[in-house]
PDB file of all heavy atoms in Angstrom:
ATOM      1  N   LEU A   1       0.823  -1.194   0.000  1.00 98.00           N
ATOM      2  CA  LEU A   1       0.000   0.000   0.000  1.00 98.00           C
ATOM      3  C   LEU A   1       0.865   1.255   0.000  1.00 98.00           C
ATOM      4  O   LEU A   1       0.646   2.176  -0.801  1.00 98.00           O
ATOM      5  CB  LEU A   1      -0.923   0.000   1.214  1.00 98.00           C
ATOM      6  CG  LEU A   1      -1.809   1.243   1.387  1.00 98.00           C
ATOM      7  CD1 LEU A   1      -2.774   1.392   0.219  1.00 98.00           C
ATOM      8  CD2 LEU A   1      -2.565   1.179   2.710  1.00 98.00           C
ATOM      9  N   ASP A   2       1.867   1.298   0.871  1.00 98.00           N
ATOM     10  CA  ASP A   2       2.732   2.475   0.953  1.00 98.00           C
ATOM     11  C   ASP A   2       3.518   2.688  -0.335  1.00 98.00           C
ATOM     12  O   ASP A   2       3.773   3.830  -0.739  1.00 98.00           O
ATOM     13  CB  ASP A   2       3.691   2.345   2.134  1.00 98.00           C
ATOM     14  CG  ASP A   2       2.997   2.565   3.472  1.00 98.00           C
ATOM     15  OD1 ASP A   2       1.804   2.945   3.471  1.00 98.00           O
ATOM     16  OD2 ASP A   2       3.633   2.362   4.516  1.00 98.00           O
ATOM     17  N   ASP A   3       3.901   1.595  -0.970  1.00 98.00           N
ATOM     18  CA  ASP A   3       4.620   1.718  -2.242  1.00 98.00           C
ATOM     19  C   ASP A   3       3.748   2.405  -3.284  1.00 98.00           C
ATOM     20  O   ASP A   3       4.192   3.330  -3.984  1.00 98.00           O
ATOM     21  CB  ASP A   3       5.051   0.343  -2.737  1.00 98.00           C
ATOM     22  CG  ASP A   3       5.625   0.394  -4.145  1.00 98.00           C
ATOM     23  OD1 ASP A   3       6.730   0.947  -4.322  1.00 98.00           O
ATOM     24  OD2 ASP A   3       4.973  -0.111  -5.082  1.00 98.00           O
ATOM     25  N   ALA A   4       2.499   1.973  -3.417  1.00 98.00           N
ATOM     26  CA  ALA A   4       1.598   2.560  -4.407  1.00 98.00           C
ATOM     27  C   ALA A   4       1.334   4.026  -4.105  1.00 98.00           C
ATOM     28  O   ALA A   4       1.376   4.887  -4.998  1.00 98.00           O
ATOM     29  CB  ALA A   4       0.288   1.782  -4.450  1.00 98.00           C
ATOM     30  N   VAL A   5       1.045   4.334  -2.840  1.00 98.00           N
ATOM     31  CA  VAL A   5       0.761   5.716  -2.456  1.00 98.00           C
ATOM     32  C   VAL A   5       1.997   6.587  -2.667  1.00 98.00           C
ATOM     33  O   VAL A   5       1.895   7.729  -3.149  1.00 98.00           O
ATOM     34  CB  VAL A   5       0.281   5.783  -0.997  1.00 98.00           C
ATOM     35  CG1 VAL A   5       0.064   7.239  -0.567  1.00 98.00           C
ATOM     36  CG2 VAL A   5      -1.005   4.983  -0.822  1.00 98.00           C
ATOM     37  N   SER A   6       3.166   6.060  -2.353  1.00 98.00           N
ATOM     38  CA  SER A   6       4.409   6.820  -2.527  1.00 98.00           C
ATOM     39  C   SER A   6       4.640   7.184  -3.985  1.00 98.00           C
ATOM     40  O   SER A   6       5.099   8.293  -4.296  1.00 98.00           O
ATOM     41  CB  SER A   6       5.601   6.007  -2.009  1.00 98.00           C
ATOM     42  OG  SER A   6       5.508   5.793  -0.621  1.00 98.00           O
ATOM     43  N   ARG A   7       4.351   6.258  -4.881  1.00 98.00           N
ATOM     44  CA  ARG A   7       4.539   6.521  -6.310  1.00 98.00           C
ATOM     45  C   ARG A   7       3.651   7.678  -6.773  1.00 98.00           C
ATOM     46  O   ARG A   7       4.059   8.511  -7.585  1.00 98.00           O
ATOM     47  CB  ARG A   7       4.225   5.253  -7.118  1.00 98.00           C
ATOM     48  CG  ARG A   7       5.252   4.139  -6.948  1.00 98.00           C
ATOM     49  CD  ARG A   7       4.778   2.830  -7.559  1.00 98.00           C
ATOM     50  NE  ARG A   7       5.749   1.765  -7.407  1.00 98.00           N
ATOM     51  CZ  ARG A   7       6.676   1.436  -8.311  1.00 98.00           C
ATOM     52  NH1 ARG A   7       6.731   2.089  -9.463  1.00 98.00           N
ATOM     53  NH2 ARG A   7       7.524   0.462  -8.088  1.00 98.00           N
ATOM     54  N   ILE A   8       2.427   7.733  -6.265  1.00 98.00           N
ATOM     55  CA  ILE A   8       1.502   8.805  -6.642  1.00 98.00           C
ATOM     56  C   ILE A   8       1.920  10.134  -6.006  1.00 98.00           C
ATOM     57  O   ILE A   8       1.960  11.177  -6.672  1.00 98.00           O
ATOM     58  CB  ILE A   8       0.070   8.427  -6.231  1.00 98.00           C
ATOM     59  CG1 ILE A   8      -0.388   7.197  -7.030  1.00 98.00           C
ATOM     60  CG2 ILE A   8      -0.893   9.598  -6.431  1.00 98.00           C
ATOM     61  CD1 ILE A   8      -1.596   6.494  -6.448  1.00 98.00           C
ATOM     62  N   LEU A   9       2.244  10.089  -4.709  1.00 98.00           N
ATOM     63  CA  LEU A   9       2.660  11.307  -4.022  1.00 98.00           C
ATOM     64  C   LEU A   9       3.929  11.893  -4.626  1.00 98.00           C
ATOM     65  O   LEU A   9       4.096  13.121  -4.669  1.00 98.00           O
ATOM     66  CB  LEU A   9       2.891  11.022  -2.535  1.00 98.00           C
ATOM     67  CG  LEU A   9       1.652  10.700  -1.703  1.00 98.00           C
ATOM     68  CD1 LEU A   9       2.057  10.350  -0.274  1.00 98.00           C
ATOM     69  CD2 LEU A   9       0.668  11.874  -1.712  1.00 98.00           C
ATOM     70  N   TYR A  10       4.818  11.026  -5.115  1.00 98.00           N
ATOM     71  CA  TYR A  10       6.078  11.509  -5.692  1.00 98.00           C
ATOM     72  C   TYR A  10       5.805  12.546  -6.778  1.00 98.00           C
ATOM     73  O   TYR A  10       6.458  13.602  -6.831  1.00 98.00           O
ATOM     74  CB  TYR A  10       6.887  10.350  -6.267  1.00 98.00           C
ATOM     75  CG  TYR A  10       8.141  10.817  -6.984  1.00 98.00           C
ATOM     76  CD1 TYR A  10       9.316  11.050  -6.279  1.00 98.00           C
ATOM     77  CD2 TYR A  10       8.130  11.064  -8.362  1.00 98.00           C
ATOM     78  CE1 TYR A  10      10.457  11.511  -6.926  1.00 98.00           C
ATOM     79  CE2 TYR A  10       9.262  11.529  -9.015  1.00 98.00           C
ATOM     80  CZ  TYR A  10      10.422  11.742  -8.297  1.00 98.00           C
ATOM     81  OH  TYR A  10      11.547  12.202  -8.939  1.00 98.00           O
ATOM     82  N   TYR A  11       4.845  12.256  -7.650  1.00 98.00           N
ATOM     83  CA  TYR A  11       4.597  13.180  -8.756  1.00 98.00           C
ATOM     84  C   TYR A  11       3.840  14.423  -8.319  1.00 98.00           C
ATOM     85  O   TYR A  11       3.951  15.481  -8.945  1.00 98.00           O
ATOM     86  CB  TYR A  11       3.911  12.448  -9.907  1.00 98.00           C
ATOM     87  CG  TYR A  11       4.931  11.652 -10.682  1.00 98.00           C
ATOM     88  CD1 TYR A  11       5.111  10.293 -10.446  1.00 98.00           C
ATOM     89  CD2 TYR A  11       5.773  12.279 -11.582  1.00 98.00           C
ATOM     90  CE1 TYR A  11       6.088   9.574 -11.120  1.00 98.00           C
ATOM     91  CE2 TYR A  11       6.754  11.572 -12.263  1.00 98.00           C
ATOM     92  CZ  TYR A  11       6.909  10.231 -12.025  1.00 98.00           C
ATOM     93  OH  TYR A  11       7.884   9.536 -12.678  1.00 98.00           O
ATOM     94  N   LYS A  12       3.109  14.343  -7.236  1.00 98.00           N
ATOM     95  CA  LYS A  12       2.493  15.556  -6.704  1.00 98.00           C
ATOM     96  C   LYS A  12       3.570  16.484  -6.137  1.00 98.00           C
ATOM     97  O   LYS A  12       3.495  17.708  -6.302  1.00 98.00           O
ATOM     98  CB  LYS A  12       1.455  15.194  -5.644  1.00 98.00           C
ATOM     99  CG  LYS A  12       0.258  14.428  -6.211  1.00 98.00           C
ATOM    100  CD  LYS A  12      -0.839  14.194  -5.190  1.00 98.00           C
ATOM    101  CE  LYS A  12      -2.039  13.496  -5.845  1.00 98.00           C
ATOM    102  NZ  LYS A  12      -3.181  13.351  -4.930  1.00 98.00           N
ATOM    103  N   PHE A  13       4.571  15.908  -5.513  1.00 98.00           N
ATOM    104  CA  PHE A  13       5.711  16.703  -5.062  1.00 98.00           C
ATOM    105  C   PHE A  13       6.546  17.180  -6.249  1.00 98.00           C
ATOM    106  O   PHE A  13       6.962  18.340  -6.310  1.00 98.00           O
ATOM    107  CB  PHE A  13       6.589  15.883  -4.114  1.00 98.00           C
ATOM    108  CG  PHE A  13       6.048  15.749  -2.719  1.00 98.00           C
ATOM    109  CD1 PHE A  13       5.620  14.527  -2.239  1.00 98.00           C
ATOM    110  CD2 PHE A  13       5.966  16.849  -1.876  1.00 98.00           C
ATOM    111  CE1 PHE A  13       5.121  14.391  -0.956  1.00 98.00           C
ATOM    112  CE2 PHE A  13       5.471  16.726  -0.582  1.00 98.00           C
ATOM    113  CZ  PHE A  13       5.044  15.489  -0.117  1.00 98.00           C
ATOM    114  N   LYS A  14       6.795  16.294  -7.193  1.00 98.00           N
ATOM    115  CA  LYS A  14       7.619  16.624  -8.358  1.00 98.00           C
ATOM    116  C   LYS A  14       7.039  17.797  -9.135  1.00 98.00           C
ATOM    117  O   LYS A  14       7.780  18.675  -9.609  1.00 98.00           O
ATOM    118  CB  LYS A  14       7.716  15.392  -9.274  1.00 98.00           C
ATOM    119  CG  LYS A  14       8.463  15.607 -10.581  1.00 98.00           C
ATOM    120  CD  LYS A  14       9.952  15.652 -10.394  1.00 98.00           C
ATOM    121  CE  LYS A  14      10.680  15.672 -11.729  1.00 98.00           C
ATOM    122  NZ  LYS A  14      12.137  15.819 -11.557  1.00 98.00           N
ATOM    123  N   LEU A  15       5.717  17.841  -9.254  1.00 98.00           N
ATOM    124  CA  LEU A  15       5.051  18.922  -9.978  1.00 98.00           C
ATOM    125  C   LEU A  15       4.992  20.225  -9.174  1.00 98.00           C
ATOM    126  O   LEU A  15       4.553  21.252  -9.692  1.00 98.00           O
ATOM    127  CB  LEU A  15       3.625  18.501 -10.353  1.00 98.00           C
ATOM    128  CG  LEU A  15       3.504  17.425 -11.432  1.00 98.00           C
ATOM    129  CD1 LEU A  15       2.079  16.881 -11.491  1.00 98.00           C
ATOM    130  CD2 LEU A  15       3.902  17.983 -12.794  1.00 98.00           C
ATOM    131  N   GLY A  16       5.398  20.173  -7.909  1.00 98.00           N
ATOM    132  CA  GLY A  16       5.389  21.376  -7.081  1.00 98.00           C
ATOM    133  C   GLY A  16       4.022  21.748  -6.549  1.00 98.00           C
ATOM    134  O   GLY A  16       3.792  22.900  -6.155  1.00 98.00           O
ATOM    135  N   LEU A  17       3.114  20.776  -6.493  1.00 98.00           N
ATOM    136  CA  LEU A  17       1.750  21.084  -6.085  1.00 98.00           C
ATOM    137  C   LEU A  17       1.615  21.339  -4.588  1.00 98.00           C
ATOM    138  O   LEU A  17       0.672  22.003  -4.158  1.00 98.00           O
ATOM    139  CB  LEU A  17       0.809  19.952  -6.504  1.00 98.00           C
ATOM    140  CG  LEU A  17       0.703  19.706  -8.010  1.00 98.00           C
ATOM    141  CD1 LEU A  17      -0.258  18.557  -8.299  1.00 98.00           C
ATOM    142  CD2 LEU A  17       0.264  20.969  -8.739  1.00 98.00           C
ATOM    143  N   PHE A  18       2.537  20.821  -3.788  1.00 98.00           N
ATOM    144  CA  PHE A  18       2.471  21.094  -2.348  1.00 98.00           C
ATOM    145  C   PHE A  18       2.903  22.528  -2.050  1.00 98.00           C
ATOM    146  O   PHE A  18       2.456  23.120  -1.064  1.00 98.00           O
ATOM    147  CB  PHE A  18       3.330  20.098  -1.573  1.00 98.00           C
ATOM    148  CG  PHE A  18       2.668  18.765  -1.372  1.00 98.00           C
ATOM    149  CD1 PHE A  18       2.787  17.764  -2.327  1.00 98.00           C
ATOM    150  CD2 PHE A  18       1.905  18.510  -0.248  1.00 98.00           C
ATOM    151  CE1 PHE A  18       2.177  16.534  -2.155  1.00 98.00           C
ATOM    152  CE2 PHE A  18       1.273  17.285  -0.067  1.00 98.00           C
ATOM    153  CZ  PHE A  18       1.412  16.293  -1.024  1.00 98.00           C
ATOM    154  N   GLU A  19       3.771  23.091  -2.908  1.00 97.00           N
ATOM    155  CA  GLU A  19       4.194  24.475  -2.726  1.00 97.00           C
ATOM    156  C   GLU A  19       3.143  25.437  -3.295  1.00 97.00           C
ATOM    157  O   GLU A  19       2.836  26.464  -2.692  1.00 97.00           O
ATOM    158  CB  GLU A  19       5.537  24.728  -3.425  1.00 97.00           C
ATOM    159  CG  GLU A  19       6.732  24.137  -2.692  1.00 97.00           C
ATOM    160  CD  GLU A  19       6.725  22.612  -2.716  1.00 97.00           C
ATOM    161  OE1 GLU A  19       6.869  22.031  -3.812  1.00 97.00           O
ATOM    162  OE2 GLU A  19       6.566  22.013  -1.623  1.00 97.00           O
ATOM    163  N   ASP A  20       2.607  25.100  -4.463  1.00 98.00           N
ATOM    164  CA  ASP A  20       1.596  25.944  -5.097  1.00 98.00           C
ATOM    165  C   ASP A  20       0.584  25.047  -5.803  1.00 98.00           C
ATOM    166  O   ASP A  20       0.770  24.683  -6.958  1.00 98.00           O
ATOM    167  CB  ASP A  20       2.238  26.908  -6.092  1.00 98.00           C
ATOM    168  CG  ASP A  20       1.219  27.850  -6.724  1.00 98.00           C
ATOM    169  OD1 ASP A  20       0.016  27.745  -6.401  1.00 98.00           O
ATOM    170  OD2 ASP A  20       1.620  28.694  -7.548  1.00 98.00           O
ATOM    171  N   PRO A  21      -0.478  24.674  -5.115  1.00 98.00           N
ATOM    172  CA  PRO A  21      -1.463  23.752  -5.696  1.00 98.00           C
ATOM    173  C   PRO A  21      -2.171  24.312  -6.927  1.00 98.00           C
ATOM    174  O   PRO A  21      -2.775  23.563  -7.695  1.00 98.00           O
ATOM    175  CB  PRO A  21      -2.464  23.533  -4.557  1.00 98.00           C
ATOM    176  CG  PRO A  21      -1.795  24.023  -3.327  1.00 98.00           C
ATOM    177  CD  PRO A  21      -0.847  25.086  -3.764  1.00 98.00           C
ATOM    178  N   TYR A  22      -2.098  25.636  -7.119  1.00 98.00           N
ATOM    179  CA  TYR A  22      -2.867  26.288  -8.179  1.00 98.00           C
ATOM    180  C   TYR A  22      -1.972  26.784  -9.319  1.00 98.00           C
ATOM    181  O   TYR A  22      -2.415  27.559 -10.170  1.00 98.00           O
ATOM    182  CB  TYR A  22      -3.650  27.467  -7.593  1.00 98.00           C
ATOM    183  CG  TYR A  22      -4.268  27.161  -6.253  1.00 98.00           C
ATOM    184  CD1 TYR A  22      -3.824  27.790  -5.091  1.00 98.00           C
ATOM    185  CD2 TYR A  22      -5.277  26.196  -6.140  1.00 98.00           C
ATOM    186  CE1 TYR A  22      -4.373  27.484  -3.856  1.00 98.00           C
ATOM    187  CE2 TYR A  22      -5.833  25.890  -4.903  1.00 98.00           C
ATOM    188  CZ  TYR A  22      -5.372  26.533  -3.766  1.00 98.00           C
ATOM    189  OH  TYR A  22      -5.921  26.215  -2.539  1.00 98.00           O
ATOM    190  N   LYS A  23      -0.721  26.336  -9.335  1.00 97.00           N
ATOM    191  CA  LYS A  23       0.229  26.878 -10.297  1.00 97.00           C
ATOM    192  C   LYS A  23      -0.173  26.591 -11.748  1.00 97.00           C
ATOM    193  O   LYS A  23       0.202  27.330 -12.649  1.00 97.00           O
ATOM    194  CB  LYS A  23       1.633  26.328 -10.014  1.00 97.00           C
ATOM    195  CG  LYS A  23       1.760  24.823 -10.143  1.00 97.00           C
ATOM    196  CD  LYS A  23       3.124  24.320  -9.645  1.00 97.00           C
ATOM    197  CE  LYS A  23       4.267  24.768 -10.510  1.00 97.00           C
ATOM    198  NZ  LYS A  23       5.544  24.120 -10.115  1.00 97.00           N
ATOM    199  N   PHE A  24      -0.937  25.543 -11.979  1.00 98.00           N
ATOM    200  CA  PHE A  24      -1.374  25.226 -13.331  1.00 98.00           C
ATOM    201  C   PHE A  24      -2.712  25.897 -13.680  1.00 98.00           C
ATOM    202  O   PHE A  24      -3.102  25.908 -14.841  1.00 98.00           O
ATOM    203  CB  PHE A  24      -1.520  23.707 -13.506  1.00 98.00           C
ATOM    204  CG  PHE A  24      -0.204  22.978 -13.551  1.00 98.00           C
ATOM    205  CD1 PHE A  24       0.490  22.686 -12.392  1.00 98.00           C
ATOM    206  CD2 PHE A  24       0.346  22.589 -14.757  1.00 98.00           C
ATOM    207  CE1 PHE A  24       1.700  22.016 -12.425  1.00 98.00           C
ATOM    208  CE2 PHE A  24       1.563  21.911 -14.809  1.00 98.00           C
ATOM    209  CZ  PHE A  24       2.245  21.630 -13.637  1.00 98.00           C
ATOM    210  N   SER A  25      -3.388  26.417 -12.673  1.00 97.00           N
ATOM    211  CA  SER A  25      -4.726  26.991 -12.872  1.00 97.00           C
ATOM    212  C   SER A  25      -4.638  28.502 -13.003  1.00 97.00           C
ATOM    213  O   SER A  25      -5.021  29.252 -12.101  1.00 97.00           O
ATOM    214  CB  SER A  25      -5.640  26.585 -11.711  1.00 97.00           C
ATOM    215  OG  SER A  25      -5.711  25.179 -11.606  1.00 97.00           O
ATOM    216  N   ASP A  26      -4.136  28.934 -14.128  1.00 96.00           N
ATOM    217  CA  ASP A  26      -3.871  30.353 -14.369  1.00 96.00           C
ATOM    218  C   ASP A  26      -4.760  30.815 -15.527  1.00 96.00           C
ATOM    219  O   ASP A  26      -4.485  30.523 -16.698  1.00 96.00           O
ATOM    220  CB  ASP A  26      -2.392  30.537 -14.707  1.00 96.00           C
ATOM    221  CG  ASP A  26      -1.997  31.993 -14.884  1.00 96.00           C
ATOM    222  OD1 ASP A  26      -2.865  32.817 -15.208  1.00 96.00           O
ATOM    223  OD2 ASP A  26      -0.797  32.306 -14.729  1.00 96.00           O
ATOM    224  N   GLU A  27      -5.826  31.518 -15.211  1.00 97.00           N
ATOM    225  CA  GLU A  27      -6.784  31.927 -16.244  1.00 97.00           C
ATOM    226  C   GLU A  27      -6.170  32.869 -17.271  1.00 97.00           C
ATOM    227  O   GLU A  27      -6.514  32.824 -18.454  1.00 97.00           O
ATOM    228  CB  GLU A  27      -8.002  32.587 -15.592  1.00 97.00           C
ATOM    229  CG  GLU A  27      -8.868  31.612 -14.808  1.00 97.00           C
ATOM    230  CD  GLU A  27     -10.114  32.279 -14.251  1.00 97.00           C
ATOM    231  OE1 GLU A  27     -10.957  32.701 -15.068  1.00 97.00           O
ATOM    232  OE2 GLU A  27     -10.223  32.372 -13.011  1.00 97.00           O
ATOM    233  N   ARG A  28      -5.244  33.716 -16.847  1.00 98.00           N
ATOM    234  CA  ARG A  28      -4.604  34.619 -17.808  1.00 98.00           C
ATOM    235  C   ARG A  28      -3.756  33.825 -18.795  1.00 98.00           C
ATOM    236  O   ARG A  28      -3.830  34.038 -20.010  1.00 98.00           O
ATOM    237  CB  ARG A  28      -3.732  35.640 -17.072  1.00 98.00           C
ATOM    238  CG  ARG A  28      -3.151  36.717 -18.015  1.00 98.00           C
ATOM    239  CD  ARG A  28      -1.936  37.380 -17.411  1.00 98.00           C
ATOM    240  NE  ARG A  28      -0.854  36.425 -17.233  1.00 98.00           N
ATOM    241  CZ  ARG A  28      -0.048  36.027 -18.218  1.00 98.00           C
ATOM    242  NH1 ARG A  28      -0.233  36.479 -19.450  1.00 98.00           N
ATOM    243  NH2 ARG A  28       0.911  35.161 -17.972  1.00 98.00           N
ATOM    244  N   ARG A  29      -2.959  32.897 -18.280  1.00 98.00           N
ATOM    245  CA  ARG A  29      -2.137  32.076 -19.176  1.00 98.00           C
ATOM    246  C   ARG A  29      -3.017  31.230 -20.089  1.00 98.00           C
ATOM    247  O   ARG A  29      -2.718  31.041 -21.268  1.00 98.00           O
ATOM    248  CB  ARG A  29      -1.196  31.175 -18.362  1.00 98.00           C
ATOM    249  CG  ARG A  29      -0.253  30.339 -19.241  1.00 98.00           C
ATOM    250  CD  ARG A  29       0.896  29.778 -18.431  1.00 98.00           C
ATOM    251  NE  ARG A  29       0.523  28.694 -17.569  1.00 98.00           N
ATOM    252  CZ  ARG A  29       0.583  27.396 -17.915  1.00 98.00           C
ATOM    253  NH1 ARG A  29       0.993  27.054 -19.123  1.00 98.00           N
ATOM    254  NH2 ARG A  29       0.237  26.465 -17.063  1.00 98.00           N
ATOM    255  N   GLU A  30      -4.114  30.728 -19.550  1.00 98.00           N
ATOM    256  CA  GLU A  30      -5.036  29.936 -20.357  1.00 98.00           C
ATOM    257  C   GLU A  30      -5.568  30.759 -21.533  1.00 98.00           C
ATOM    258  O   GLU A  30      -5.616  30.286 -22.676  1.00 98.00           O
ATOM    259  CB  GLU A  30      -6.194  29.455 -19.487  1.00 98.00           C
ATOM    260  CG  GLU A  30      -7.198  28.572 -20.206  1.00 98.00           C
ATOM    261  CD  GLU A  30      -8.321  28.134 -19.273  1.00 98.00           C
ATOM    262  OE1 GLU A  30      -8.684  28.914 -18.361  1.00 98.00           O
ATOM    263  OE2 GLU A  30      -8.833  27.013 -19.449  1.00 98.00           O
ATOM    264  N   SER A  31      -5.929  32.008 -21.284  1.00 98.00           N
ATOM    265  CA  SER A  31      -6.544  32.831 -22.328  1.00 98.00           C
ATOM    266  C   SER A  31      -5.575  33.159 -23.449  1.00 98.00           C
ATOM    267  O   SER A  31      -5.982  33.295 -24.611  1.00 98.00           O
ATOM    268  CB  SER A  31      -7.100  34.121 -21.718  1.00 98.00           C
ATOM    269  OG  SER A  31      -6.049  34.959 -21.254  1.00 98.00           O
ATOM    270  N   VAL A  32      -4.287  33.278 -23.155  1.00 98.00           N
ATOM    271  CA  VAL A  32      -3.319  33.645 -24.204  1.00 98.00           C
ATOM    272  C   VAL A  32      -2.652  32.433 -24.836  1.00 98.00           C
ATOM    273  O   VAL A  32      -1.963  32.573 -25.853  1.00 98.00           O
ATOM    274  CB  VAL A  32      -2.236  34.596 -23.643  1.00 98.00           C
ATOM    275  CG1 VAL A  32      -2.866  35.876 -23.124  1.00 98.00           C
ATOM    276  CG2 VAL A  32      -1.405  33.917 -22.560  1.00 98.00           C
ATOM    277  N   THR A  33      -2.863  31.267 -24.255  1.00 98.00           N
ATOM    278  CA  THR A  33      -2.182  30.073 -24.759  1.00 98.00           C
ATOM    279  C   THR A  33      -3.040  29.295 -25.742  1.00 98.00           C
ATOM    280  O   THR A  33      -2.563  28.866 -26.798  1.00 98.00           O
ATOM    281  CB  THR A  33      -1.783  29.154 -23.585  1.00 98.00           C
ATOM    282  OG1 THR A  33      -0.899  29.860 -22.712  1.00 98.00           O
ATOM    283  CG2 THR A  33      -1.072  27.901 -24.098  1.00 98.00           C
ATOM    284  N   LEU A  34      -4.302  29.087 -25.413  1.00 98.00           N
ATOM    285  CA  LEU A  34      -5.139  28.221 -26.233  1.00 98.00           C
ATOM    286  C   LEU A  34      -5.334  28.797 -27.636  1.00 98.00           C
ATOM    287  O   LEU A  34      -5.666  29.966 -27.809  1.00 98.00           O
ATOM    288  CB  LEU A  34      -6.510  28.017 -25.577  1.00 98.00           C
ATOM    289  CG  LEU A  34      -6.529  27.444 -24.160  1.00 98.00           C
ATOM    290  CD1 LEU A  34      -7.947  27.069 -23.763  1.00 98.00           C
ATOM    291  CD2 LEU A  34      -5.591  26.261 -24.011  1.00 98.00           C
ATOM    292  N   LEU A  35      -5.093  27.941 -28.617  1.00 98.00           N
ATOM    293  CA  LEU A  35      -5.320  28.273 -30.023  1.00 98.00           C
ATOM    294  C   LEU A  35      -4.561  29.547 -30.431  1.00 98.00           C
ATOM    295  O   LEU A  35      -5.051  30.352 -31.221  1.00 98.00           O
ATOM    296  CB  LEU A  35      -6.821  28.435 -30.296  1.00 98.00           C
ATOM    297  CG  LEU A  35      -7.310  28.074 -31.707  1.00 98.00           C
ATOM    298  CD1 LEU A  35      -7.160  26.590 -31.982  1.00 98.00           C
ATOM    299  CD2 LEU A  35      -8.761  28.490 -31.895  1.00 98.00           C
ATOM    300  N   ASN A  36      -3.361  29.736 -29.887  1.00 98.00           N
ATOM    301  CA  ASN A  36      -2.602  30.922 -30.283  1.00 98.00           C
ATOM    302  C   ASN A  36      -2.004  30.738 -31.673  1.00 98.00           C
ATOM    303  O   ASN A  36      -1.936  29.629 -32.201  1.00 98.00           O
ATOM    304  CB  ASN A  36      -1.532  31.270 -29.240  1.00 98.00           C
ATOM    305  CG  ASN A  36      -0.409  30.252 -29.175  1.00 98.00           C
ATOM    306  OD1 ASN A  36       0.273  29.984 -30.170  1.00 98.00           O
ATOM    307  ND2 ASN A  36      -0.189  29.678 -27.997  1.00 98.00           N
ATOM    308  N   ASP A  37      -1.568  31.828 -32.277  1.00 98.00           N
ATOM    309  CA  ASP A  37      -1.117  31.807 -33.675  1.00 98.00           C
ATOM    310  C   ASP A  37       0.051  30.848 -33.893  1.00 98.00           C
ATOM    311  O   ASP A  37       0.126  30.175 -34.929  1.00 98.00           O
ATOM    312  CB  ASP A  37      -0.722  33.218 -34.110  1.00 98.00           C
ATOM    313  CG  ASP A  37      -1.914  34.152 -34.223  1.00 98.00           C
ATOM    314  OD1 ASP A  37      -3.055  33.648 -34.262  1.00 98.00           O
ATOM    315  OD2 ASP A  37      -1.708  35.380 -34.269  1.00 98.00           O
ATOM    316  N   LYS A  38       0.961  30.791 -32.929  1.00 98.00           N
ATOM    317  CA  LYS A  38       2.120  29.912 -33.062  1.00 98.00           C
ATOM    318  C   LYS A  38       1.701  28.457 -33.146  1.00 98.00           C
ATOM    319  O   LYS A  38       2.206  27.686 -33.981  1.00 98.00           O
ATOM    320  CB  LYS A  38       3.063  30.120 -31.870  1.00 98.00           C
ATOM    321  CG  LYS A  38       4.290  29.219 -31.877  1.00 98.00           C
ATOM    322  CD  LYS A  38       5.130  29.457 -30.627  1.00 98.00           C
ATOM    323  CE  LYS A  38       6.319  28.497 -30.565  1.00 98.00           C
ATOM    324  NZ  LYS A  38       7.120  28.707 -29.322  1.00 98.00           N
ATOM    325  N   PHE A  39       0.758  28.064 -32.301  1.00 98.00           N
ATOM    326  CA  PHE A  39       0.307  26.673 -32.288  1.00 98.00           C
ATOM    327  C   PHE A  39      -0.494  26.344 -33.546  1.00 98.00           C
ATOM    328  O   PHE A  39      -0.382  25.251 -34.096  1.00 98.00           O
ATOM    329  CB  PHE A  39      -0.527  26.404 -31.038  1.00 98.00           C
ATOM    330  CG  PHE A  39       0.266  26.433 -29.744  1.00 98.00           C
ATOM    331  CD1 PHE A  39      -0.365  26.280 -28.527  1.00 98.00           C
ATOM    332  CD2 PHE A  39       1.641  26.603 -29.753  1.00 98.00           C
ATOM    333  CE1 PHE A  39       0.352  26.296 -27.338  1.00 98.00           C
ATOM    334  CE2 PHE A  39       2.373  26.631 -28.567  1.00 98.00           C
ATOM    335  CZ  PHE A  39       1.729  26.482 -27.360  1.00 98.00           C
ATOM    336  N   VAL A  40      -1.310  27.285 -33.989  1.00 98.00           N
ATOM    337  CA  VAL A  40      -2.111  27.060 -35.194  1.00 98.00           C
ATOM    338  C   VAL A  40      -1.201  26.873 -36.408  1.00 98.00           C
ATOM    339  O   VAL A  40      -1.423  25.986 -37.239  1.00 98.00           O
ATOM    340  CB  VAL A  40      -3.093  28.225 -35.409  1.00 98.00           C
ATOM    341  CG1 VAL A  40      -3.751  28.144 -36.784  1.00 98.00           C
ATOM    342  CG2 VAL A  40      -4.164  28.220 -34.323  1.00 98.00           C
TER     343      VAL A  40
END
């Protein structure tokens, strides 16, 4: 059980979510990133 939980927690730490759980939830970045000219 601890092995499985550790594997999952590792990536939550790796992604920096314990320091900033909302770092990926940026509405401003979302608005300028989706379907931008470079990606199109």
Side-chain angles (χ1 to χ4, degrees):
L1 177 63
D2 286 353
D3 172 69
V5 177
S6 296
R7 290 170 180 266
I8 295 163
L9 291 176
Y10 175 85
Y11 281 98
K12 294 186 177 185
F13 283 112
K14 176 76 172 176
L15 290 167
L17 298 180
F18 280 87
E19 285 68 66
D20 183 359
Y22 319 112
K23 62 189 293 188
F24 288 80
S25 302
D26 184 335
E27 291 184 65
R28 186 201 64 80
R29 183 164 74 92
E30 182 180 32
S31 68
V32 300
T33 300
L34 303 190
L35 210 66
N36 69 58
D37 291 344
K38 178 182 176 182
F39 291 176
V40 169

